Amino acid sequence: MKKVYLQTFGCQMNEADSEEMMLTLAAKGCTQTQKLEEADIVLVNTCTIREHAEHKAISYLGRLAKWKAKKEGRKIIFTGCAAQRLGQKIKKKFPHTDIVNGAKNIDNFSSVIEKADLFEDQNTQPLSAPANSPIALVNIMRGCSCKCSYCIVPYVRGEAYSLDPKNILSQVKVALESGAKEIVLLGQTVNAYNYKGFSFSKLLREICSFDKLLRLRYLSPHPMFINEEFLQTLKDCPKIARHIHLPIQSGSTRILADMKRNYTREELLAKLKALREIGIEISTDIIVGYPKETEEDFKDTLTLCQEAQFSAAYCFKFSPRKGTPAALFKELDQKIVEKRLDILLNEIKQSSKDAYARQIATKQQVLFETPTNGRTSNNFWVRTKEKYPVGAVVDLQIKESKDTILLA
Ligand code: SAH
Ligand code: SF4
Ligand code: F3S
């Protein structure tokens, strides 16, 4: 029986794809190992969202040459978004790579594996369910059609399409029956989901009607697709997490237009306000140093953050991705970008600290992901002295906040 070591880079969609590929490998008789040294196969699922992400994946692949040389018959499979961007060039540069399978070809992973003749004994076993986790990731869309000016995703993942709700609902049912408490719906513009008129809100409502479901999350929604129907669904369905991760990218209408984000600062502020009025905590992604970003534009981002009081924000320095429109623009002076990033990070650190502090003395329902760490519906981490079983759901009084963790 072959043992597979899995290394996943990138977003949760990649995590979900990795799980799917592991199921395919399990069906071929493979088991997963946590130890690289005892593995026969390494599956590297990669990201290319920024240059640094791609670099990480490639240098990991480079280091695997030594691992492969140590024992005969070892194999390396390189998949995902960086694999899609770089294609078979990878094999030229790293001849120790056995299979390259890009993100667009994920649905054909099974036949790619079969053709590659990795397995001398064609041991076909029934699919085994993934390890019992309280959280199940479920892909509801593939690709992205937004073509934001800076973003490589539409090129490596292809056009957006929504998956059949029948299949999604049966996947959710299986996950809940095998012990999942929380479902996370995934898609690059997850709230643009629409299957022949079956909307994202309709899907949320259907999933909430499962008795066994405790909590429903979704990643990543796009501000453009936040509409009245969705806001009403949030109001009607308390099982939907009281948190949204809503990437804004910038607070300047001028930059947002250049990025092709399809919303203005004012529209954004109105949507953030509407979400907050329902009691939803908001976290976000922001790009700093987008080409053409002036001091004025940056200030707009900063003041928007001050107003929005995000509970968390991932701030990224703009990274030019070859083939995207924004890669053709002249980059800003890196010193200026560093300075802006620093200012923004300080602002976010403060608003995040404040958001955590606001939770003190509240009662929160915590879903434990480790014996002493769990998350609240509004997405704050809670740590306890007492140990709980993973998957336990406990109502706890928040006593203290320490930077980005709550103590109960
Ligand atoms: N689909 C999501 C985000 C996917 S990528 C959305 O549209 O919001 C995750 C984050 O990476 C983005 O929100 C953005 O902030 C960042 N990002 C994407 N391309 C980037 C680039 N070229 N340089 C820097 N950050 C980038
Ligand atoms: Fe990239 Fe924009 Fe699509 Fe998000 S919505 S994946 S940022 S193109
Ligand atoms: Fe990275 Fe691909 Fe996700 S580029 S962020 S792994 S969609």
Side-chain angles (χ1 to χ4, degrees), residues 49-50 150 188 247 249 261 285 287 316-317 319 321:
I49 195 77
R50 286 165 293 273
Y150 50 83
Q188 284 299 353
Q249 315 302 357
R261 290 291 290 179
D285 291 346
I287 296 178
F316 305 107
K317 272 197 280 181
S319 168
R321 307 307 288 131

Side-chain angles (χ1 to χ4, degrees), residues 95-204:
H96 60 283
T97 317
D98 295 280
I99 298 177
V100 177
N101 191 49
K104 277 188 195 168
N105 205 34
I106 197 116
D107 287 338
N108 297 325
F109 183 68
S110 179
S111 62
V112 171
I113 293 291
E114 226 142 73
K115 272 195 218 122
D117 235 9
L118 283 191
F119 311 96
E120 57 278 4
D121 49 340
Q122 284 297 332
N123 180 358
T124 42
Q125 288 195 345
L127 290 183
S128 65
N132 261 2
S133 159
I135 299 167
L137 307 176
V138 178
N139 257 321
I140 67 166
M141 282 184 84
R142 294 212 190 271
C144 182
S145 300
C146 274
K147 302 247 164 72
C148 301
S149 65
Y150 50 83
C151 186
I152 189 87
V153 170
Y155 306 91
V156 291
R157 293 237 166 206
E159 289 289 324
Y161 63 92
S162 299
L163 303 175
D164 189 332
K166 263 200 243 107
N167 297 341
I168 296 169
L169 291 168
S170 70
Q171 214 182 321
V172 166
K173 192 160 175 256
V174 169
L176 294 174
E177 272 162 12
S178 49
K181 303 261 168 63
E182 177 178 307
I183 300 288
V184 187
L185 303 178
L186 300 174
Q188 284 299 353
T189 50
V190 74
N191 54 340
Y193 176 89
N194 194 304
Y195 186 86
K196 300 179 182 165
F198 192 104
S199 69
F200 181 60
S201 294
K202 179 104 176 54
L203 185 66
L204 291 175

Side-chain angles (χ1 to χ4, degrees), residues 335-352:
K335 274 202 206 99
I336 295 177
V337 180
E338 293 283 352
K339 205 172 130 213
R340 288 181 190 167
L341 182 66
D342 212 43
I343 296 170
L344 187 63
L345 286 175
N346 268 325
E347 176 61 41
I348 295 299
K349 202 171 161 194
Q350 191 54 48
S351 73
S352 174

